[in-house]
Amino acid sequence: MLGRIGIVFLVAVIMVVSLYYLYRMNAKLPALPENPSFKNPTISTEERITDLLSYMSLEEKIGQMALVEKNSIRSTSDISKYGLGALLSGFGGSPEENTISGWKKMVDTFVAESKRSRLEIPMLYGVDAIHGHSNVPGLTVFPHSIGLGATGDEELVRQVAEATRAQLALTNINWSYSPTYDMPQDIRWGRVYETFSDDPELVSRLGSAYIKGLQNSEYNGAQTPAVLATPKHYLGAGSMLWDTSSNENFRIDQGVTPVNEQRLREIYLPPFEQAIEEGAMSIMAGLNSWGDTKLAAEPYLIQRVLKEELGFQGFVVSDWYGVYEISDDDYTSAVTAINAGVDMVMLPFEYKKFVRNIKRAVRSGDIAPQRIDDAVRRILRAKFTIGLFDEYYSSDAQTIDFEADRLLARQAVAQSAVLLKNKNVLPISQSEKTIFVAGSAADNVGMQAGAWTVEWQGVDGNWLPGGTSILSGIQSAVGANTNVVYNQNAEFDAEKPADIGIAIVGEKPYAEGWGDNPNPTLSPEDLIVIERLKSTSQKVIVVLVTGRPLLITDEINQWDGLVVVWLPGTQGGGVADVLFGKEKFTGSLPLPWPATLQQMPIATDGKTADGSPVLFERYFGL
Ligand code: BGC
């Protein structure tokens, strides 16, 4: 109908119109000189940022503010097309080949794509290396933070962070969502083990040591890339009230922080102040609310207190999907968060919609262009500070001493164990003839490691490569004259009793709100195991593998020895080291151990809700 001439004419019109729009788009892009000064490492960081910002279009700026989960990237080329600021692997977001080289290949591909963008701005790639680079099976899993808290040893914590950085560098990951600065006041919370302590002084001390280890760049005398640390979660996380969660699946996680401003300033703010002094360049806003307001929507706490008052120069990143918890409307949510001072949004999914919304907000005046410039300036500052623009160097396996890392982890495990009761049974003498070992956590490296290990919710079972279960640690620790007999369910022959029975019991892995537990006690199966051991052994030692204090008030009197080893990670040998006296017990409780549920929450000064005394006070340890 159109005829050949008509078709040719139509195609010509479409081409002219497209060329015109392309021309207009490019005309709007500030021209880039051949050798822009931001590439010059000899001028100051602030000059470099100003220079780089001057070439950036609004779209390129918004791209920098997006943090996207890697599986949500529709096509790798979107990274350069949208100039995305950062990607992350949430737990389980592993490459198909979940090995060091598989990770490195994946991260390198993404980073290379980011450098294909017009301005070649390198991307941050983030993971939760909260107890080592525990995404990758075979790498050292250190004790979870609660265990590090029990050591109280900042030099050790610095070394752990340093080893973690070096292992991250093997895969070219340059960002970790750690350390955790939350301070728990209720053991029912599913994230107690991610914290160092409920004591702001200890959290500040260990947190700073951790930041130092992650962000400096020496390891065993060699240079490895610095990894950007992210103290989290700002602010008041850990003090939420039971049954206030905004998430229908949870009870306390993502709940309401009820404390007033004075308590926030006295207890929760000081560690962040220290972190800034230590050079923290990124801080994560929590999923909790302060009063009615989600933290990511809190301009007073973020913009006013953190940035203006404390002078934080780095960027604030929101937590997983947290911005969209602010309201039912995506546009309002994103605009509110950015106006509150969030600089980078862990979307983590729909980046195209985010770019559209923020563009619209700037054009309509809902977000001031200066706020966008400030956010991008902060993100670029962090990138320049850790050296992303200058030399993206990777270490290789040769610079890592894996055996030294395992020994360090084992040392950390020994130091984190806390001896809570000892009726002349510990350390176990080499002259014991028979030792019975039983319990759900005796031969289970997955349980030892807890969640955030390969999978978000962890893995239950004994398969992590390079791991040593507590049982196998015990088997290697005993002398030639001692016979170790293991039965998980403690089905032993009562006719041939043991000198000592060791029950290794505790919690199965859980992460975040999935670990909110209305009544954290030992399971009926664990209690049966302890009962059985009591009837077949002269003396019984209970070893708790747990992410939090468990309620044991009714049972503890019947035990001869009690040791809590928290979630020690892959090096179970460290537990045997203290049980058999190769290492002395030096750990102390980083938080009070409640006697009853009615004591929840326990305030920072140790006061329980009902005024009754706790079972063990903070810093107790024999
Ligand atoms: C957690 C953060 C974590 C993020 C990315 C969120 O669910 O609250 O602590 O950094 O996921 O994995």
Side-chain angles (χ1 to χ4, degrees):
M1 268 183 297
L2 256 179
R4 193 171 290 178
I5 295 183
I7 291 173
V8 170
F9 181 71
L10 201 68
V11 169
V13 169
I14 291 171
M15 277 178 66
V16 169
V17 172
S18 316
L19 279 172
Y20 173 72
Y21 274 103
L22 218 69
Y23 165 78
R24 287 240 354 224
M25 256 177 67
N26 282 325
K28 277 191 295 175
L29 290 177
L32 184 66
E34 206 165 305
N35 277 316
S37 5
F38 74 83
K39 294 203 171 164
N40 176 1
T42 65
I43 63 170
S44 77
T45 299
E46 293 309 308
E47 283 174 282
R48 297 176 79 181
I49 300 170
T50 306
D51 183 59
L52 176 50
L53 261 174
S54 75
Y55 310 119
M56 292 178 82
S57 68
L58 178 60
E59 288 82 352
E60 285 165 332
K61 289 176 186 171
I62 298 170
Q64 285 300 306
M65 296 167 71
L67 168 55
V68 186
E69 200 277 323
K70 66 108 182 160
N71 288 327
S72 313
I73 296 292
R74 308 254 167 85
S75 132
T76 305
S77 62
D78 274 3
I79 294 172
S80 54
K81 184 171 162 200
Y82 289 88
L84 298 178
L87 290 195
L88 86 150
S89 277
F91 255 79
S94 332
E96 219 158 280
E97 184 207 314
N98 195 358
T99 59
I100 293 173
S101 66
W103 275 87
K104 183 171 182 307
K105 213 162 107 196
M106 173 182 82
V107 175
D108 283 351
T109 306
F110 290 140
V111 174
E113 187 60 37
S114 71
K115 291 176 165 178
R116 256 176 233 129
S117 61
R118 188 179 72 100
L119 297 167
E120 302 170 6
I121 303 178
M123 180 183 78
L124 285 166
Y125 199 100
V127 293
D128 293 277
I130 62 175
H131 59 158
H133 192 0
S134 52
N135 263 296
V136 190
L139 289 185
T140 316
V141 179
F142 292 94
H144 267 295
S145 296
I146 192 80
L148 298 181
T151 73
D153 182 343
E154 63 235 64
E155 177 50 24
L156 176 85
V157 170
R158 191 189 58 74
Q159 287 176 21
V160 166
E162 206 166 73
T164 303
R165 185 197 66 232
Q167 298 206 355
L168 285 168
L170 289 175
T171 55
N172 281 346
I173 287 170
N174 49 30
W175 192 10
S176 174
Y177 309 121
S178 58
T180 298
Y181 277 34
D182 302 345
M183 286 175 262
Q185 305 203 328
D186 191 326
I187 59 160
R188 290 173 292 182
W189 187 31
R191 304 190 79 164
V192 170
Y193 64 86
E194 290 184 55
T195 71
F196 290 120
S197 167
D198 69 330
D199 175 1
E201 194 276 322
L202 183 58
V203 172
S204 296
R205 204 153 55 74
L206 300 187
S208 290
Y210 189 98
I211 293 171
K212 200 177 279 159
L214 212 59
Q215 292 198 166
N216 289 355
S217 52
E218 239 190 61
Y219 170 81
N220 273 352
Q223 289 285 316
T224 58
V227 168
L228 183 66
T230 302
K232 67 184 186 185
H233 306 82
Y234 184 83
L235 187 70
S239 70
M240 298 83 66
L241 274 187
W242 184 253
D243 262 343
T244 62
S245 179
S246 59
N247 183 318
E248 60 182 23
N249 298 306
F250 303 162
R251 302 293 294 274
I252 182 168
D253 192 43
Q254 305 183 12
V256 177
T257 288
V259 294
N260 61 25
E261 182 178 344
Q262 191 197 339
R263 302 297 283 164
L264 273 187
R265 283 179 178 275
E266 274 170 17
I267 295 159
Y268 286 88
L269 199 59
F272 285 98
E273 202 170 345
Q274 282 269 315
I276 293 168
E277 246 166 64
E278 195 58 59
M281 290 302 288
S282 115
I283 287 177
M284 190 186 291
L287 296 168
N288 55 316
S289 306
W290 188 39
D292 292 338
T293 313
K294 282 283 170 195
L295 253 294
E298 232 317 317
Y300 179 72
L301 292 180
I302 298 180
Q303 192 59 41
R304 176 80 188 75
V305 176
L306 184 63
K307 292 185 176 173
E308 289 165 27
E309 219 180 286
L310 300 191
F312 177 54
Q313 297 291 309
F315 69 92
V316 173
V317 60
S318 57
D319 200 350
W320 185 274
Y321 202 72
V323 155
Y324 297 108
E325 307 277 334
I326 294 173
S327 82
D328 292 339
D329 172 58
D330 288 349
Y331 177 82
T332 312
S333 296
V335 171
T336 309
I338 287 166
N339 283 334
V342 169
D343 303 301
M344 185 186 272
V345 179
M346 195 191 290
L347 293 160
F349 312 115
E350 294 188 59
Y351 49 99
K352 295 185 188 176
K353 189 169 69 186
F354 171 75
V355 174
R356 267 199 315 274
N357 278 339
I358 302 307
K359 227 159 92 178
R360 184 182 134 205
V362 175
R363 299 233 158 104
S364 68
D366 286 343
I367 297 178
Q370 294 85 331
R371 175 74 268 277
I372 301 289
D373 281 358
D374 172 56
V376 178
R377 182 172 277 279
R378 288 166 178 278
I379 294 162
L380 294 177
R381 189 177 287 129
K383 290 186 173 183
F384 276 113
T385 305
I386 63 162
L388 282 198
F389 282 84
D390 302 329
E391 203 182 341
Y392 198 79
Y393 46 99
S394 76
S395 58
D396 50 32
Q398 285 93 291
T399 66
I400 296 258
D401 184 343
F402 288 108
E403 189 47 27
D405 285 357
R406 276 194 282 271
L407 287 175
L408 174 67
R410 181 169 174 164
Q411 178 67 35
V413 172
Q415 283 185 237
S416 69
V418 183
L419 179 58
L420 293 174
K421 180 171 181 185
N422 189 8
K423 273 171 65 186
N424 288 328
V425 66
L426 284 157
I428 301 169
S429 128
Q430 292 285 350
S431 63
E432 303 296 356
K433 301 249 161 13
T434 306
I435 297 176
F436 287 163
V437 178
S440 54
D443 196 22
N444 191 328
V445 179
M447 252 175 103
Q448 279 168 220
W452 306 94
T453 309
V454 184
E455 295 294 337
W456 182 39
Q457 296 295 325
V459 284
D460 182 16
N462 210 4
W463 64 276
L464 274 177
T468 307
S469 74
I470 298 176
L471 170 69
S472 79
I474 290 173
Q475 285 163 334
S476 325
V478 295
N481 298 330
T482 307
N483 184 23
V484 174
V485 187
Y486 169 66
N487 181 289
Q488 183 179 326
N489 301 323
E491 284 156 350
F492 298 112
D493 185 354
E495 303 284 293
K496 296 181 198 144
D499 304 292
I500 289 184
I502 308 177
I504 306 169
V505 291
E507 293 188 305
K508 298 274 183 199
Y510 54 79
E512 301 193 36
W514 299 109
D516 289 353
N517 181 346
N519 189 23
T521 52
L522 281 172
S523 69
E525 297 76 40
D526 282 345
L527 290 173
I528 289 172
V529 160
I530 299 173
E531 277 307 308
R532 285 187 182 148
L533 270 181
K534 264 170 41 198
S535 60
T536 52
S537 313
Q538 312 262 335
K539 289 189 166 183
V540 171
I541 299 168
V542 173
V543 175
L544 291 179
V545 176
T546 177
R548 57 182 139 207
L550 297 173
L551 297 170
I552 49 168
T553 316
D554 295 340
E555 293 92 20
I556 185 173
N557 285 339
Q558 299 153 39
W559 307 338
D560 300 290
L562 171 61
V563 181
V564 55
V565 297
W566 313 107
L567 299 172
T570 45
Q571 304 313 307
V575 174
D577 290 342
V578 283
L579 292 181
F580 290 89
K582 190 173 159 224
E583 299 272 352
K584 284 208 168 71
F585 281 99
T586 55
S588 69
L589 291 180
L591 74 176
W593 194 293
T596 65
L597 266 190
Q598 290 65 41
Q599 296 180 336
M600 299 297 105
I602 302 179
T604 311
D605 61 8
K607 279 209 189 79
T608 55
D610 66 0
S612 61
V614 292
L615 191 60
F616 299 110
E617 288 185 0
R618 187 203 293 131
Y619 297 131
F620 178 83
L622 296 171

